[in-house]
Amino acid sequence: MKLLKYDEELFLKLVEKEGLAYRGKIEEIVDEICDKGYSNIFLIGAGGTIAMMYPYEYILKANSTIEVQAQIAAEFMVMNNRRFSEDSVCIFTSVSGTTEETVAAAKFCREKGATTIALVAEPNTPLTYAVDHCITTGSETHSFDTFFMLLHMVVFRFMHNKGEFPQYKKFIEEVALLPKAILNAVKAFDVKAEEFAIKHKDTDYHMMVGSGNLWGNTYSYAMCILEEMQWIHAKSIHAAEFFHGTLELVLEDTSVILLKGEDETRPLMDRVERFAEKITKQLTVIDTKDFEMEGISDEFRSHFSVNINWALLSRISVYLERERNHPLTLRRYYRQMAY
């Protein structure tokens, strides 16, 4: 089965072979920071990269006593956050390494004495020079798949060093199984991704609902893919807030997309699903529980839902691009004009 615009060998090379090889460097960086001591962690980004941080803010809040904040770079720069200090650890990601707000925030944090770490796809770009520690993956292709996996290593290493995650060794062994689990999930989902794109190529509005560690993916896909890359009206709604306003806009023909994961917030998604299936005939449920993660234990599946879910959504993007004859790279305004 050959997937449209998907090179399996390249995926495994970039994410499995090269991505997993950064484990040692990541552990060295985190261990050095922990030995020195720190007060809290700031996960800072803009657009898709702040959305990428939300899963890890959730994971830390739900599983650790480490103080953590996910902050939008531009707002962070002007808010005078009273929890931020020279003892803070600030983590950034960027595919291009040139995102203006992210680079500015990284420089700001470093100048204030905080310890800065970045994951960047493109080498020798402004962000790579603006931080104390940088992992440069070297390719924009499958960069989010790689970044998510590396952020697992970073966050859970901090938890392990604090004595809050003794399962770290087993966890990292299962992280190594993620690339093949992602590839198998993508293959299993591809027909449904194509069917969705064909069915909804002319749909002009989608509600996307998520929760827990999938809230970031929900927010990102609605904003960065549907709105920015496809010019489709979309709204991201947290399942816990769905019944405080948004439910009144669901009609028989409203497209509602539910991103279901496997963490503690799943019952919140179940509640939205029970409601939506009574009202709309355009309900789409993307549930990571439907996909086998070979060799991965039930204990860690919920954390890896982030990786699986994003890979599945990326297949929808490929087919939307084809069916709508709208390249994912096409923009009206973003980086096309000054604003």
Side-chain angles (χ1 to χ4, degrees):
M1 175 183 180
K2 185 170 177 58
L3 304 181
L4 178 67
K5 297 184 73 171
Y6 198 95
D7 186 328
E8 294 181 30
E9 289 186 9
L10 181 62
F11 169 80
L12 291 174
K13 174 181 180 290
L14 294 175
V15 183
E16 181 179 56
K17 184 178 179 181
E18 296 181 7
L20 290 172
Y22 292 112
R23 173 188 170 181
K25 186 173 181 181
I26 286 172
E27 291 180 350
E28 182 181 326
I29 291 169
V30 174
D31 291 354
E32 178 185 325
I33 293 168
C34 292
D35 288 343
K36 174 186 170 186
Y38 67 97
S39 60
N40 49 29
I41 295 175
F42 282 80
L43 307 170
I44 303 173
T49 58
I50 184 59
M52 173 174 279
M53 297 303 190
Y54 290 146
Y56 300 96
E57 180 188 41
Y58 177 85
I59 287 169
L60 280 168
K61 285 182 173 179
N63 298 277
S64 173
T65 59
I66 297 171
E67 183 188 328
V68 61
Q69 295 187 31
Q71 293 288 339
I72 300 170
E75 183 177 56
F76 173 76
M77 293 282 289
V78 299
M79 75 183 297
N80 189 30
N81 192 303
R82 304 296 290 188
R83 304 299 296 170
F84 172 73
S85 74
E86 62 182 12
D87 296 321
S88 297
V89 176
C90 302
I91 303 174
F92 307 85
T93 62
S94 176
V95 175
S96 69
T98 62
T99 308
E100 184 178 339
E101 302 96 325
T102 303
V103 173
K107 290 179 178 178
F108 172 84
C109 293
R110 195 179 189 185
E111 287 168 1
K112 296 293 185 181
T115 302
T116 51
I117 306 171
L119 305 178
V120 185
E122 288 295 327
N124 302 314
T125 49
L127 186 57
T128 66
Y129 299 114
V131 296
D132 300 303
H133 307 282
C134 187
I135 302 287
T136 307
T137 61
S139 176
E140 293 191 9
T141 305
H142 298 298
S143 54
F144 268 44
D145 292 310
T146 303
F147 286 175
F148 277 130
M149 189 173 68
L150 299 185
L151 284 169
H152 278 314
M153 297 180 187
V154 171
V155 165
F156 283 90
R157 187 67 178 184
F158 273 108
M159 288 170 52
H160 170 70
N161 286 353
K162 194 171 175 61
E164 297 179 331
F165 194 66
Q167 317 96 300
Y168 178 78
K169 184 175 183 295
K170 179 185 177 187
F171 177 78
I172 289 297
E173 289 172 353
E174 296 191 14
V175 168
L177 303 177
L178 257 178
K180 285 193 172 64
I182 291 170
L183 183 56
N184 290 335
V186 162
K187 289 179 178 179
F189 182 71
D190 201 65
V191 171
K192 290 183 179 179
E194 183 176 22
E195 289 173 350
F196 177 92
I198 293 170
K199 178 179 180 180
H200 287 288
K201 64 184 177 67
D202 295 320
T203 299
D204 59 5
Y205 175 65
H206 297 278
M207 290 183 181
M208 293 200 68
V209 186
S211 66
N213 62 24
L214 290 190
W215 167 242
N217 288 7
T218 310
Y219 174 71
S220 182
Y221 200 80
M223 176 178 63
C224 297
I225 310 299
L226 296 180
E227 292 182 336
E228 179 183 328
M229 298 184 184
Q230 287 295 296
W231 303 350
I232 298 171
H233 293 280
K235 179 177 174 61
S236 52
I237 309 117
H238 197 291
E241 287 287 276
F242 182 87
F243 295 99
H244 297 273
T246 306
L247 80 165
E248 291 296 338
L249 296 180
V250 180
L251 301 173
E252 187 179 60
D253 62 348
T254 304
S255 171
V256 179
I257 305 168
L258 306 185
L259 304 186
K260 296 186 72 173
E262 302 173 50
D263 65 24
E264 306 87 349
T265 67
R266 187 176 174 89
L268 304 179
M269 294 297 296
D270 290 338
R271 185 186 180 205
V272 176
E273 184 175 6
R274 287 193 298 270
F275 169 81
E277 63 189 5
K278 295 175 186 175
I279 310 297
T280 181
K281 294 181 179 178
Q282 303 298 328
L283 176 63
T284 302
V285 180
I286 301 173
D287 189 348
T288 62
K289 215 169 191 178
D290 294 337
F291 299 90
E292 181 184 5
M293 300 185 205
E294 187 176 348
I296 292 175
S297 60
D298 290 344
E299 182 181 10
F300 302 138
R301 278 188 63 105
S302 65
H303 303 313
F304 298 150
S305 292
V306 178
N307 312 69
I308 299 295
N309 175 265
W310 187 256
L312 301 179
L313 291 174
S314 297
R315 295 309 298 159
I316 291 177
S317 305
V318 168
Y319 288 110
L320 281 176
E321 178 181 51
R322 184 193 73 185
E323 292 301 314
R324 292 169 50 78
N325 192 28
H326 187 121
L328 296 170
T329 54
L330 182 63
R331 303 289 187 276
R332 288 192 185 101
Y333 313 117
Y334 184 63
R335 301 198 181 197
Q336 305 300 311
M337 60 180 288
Y339 46 78

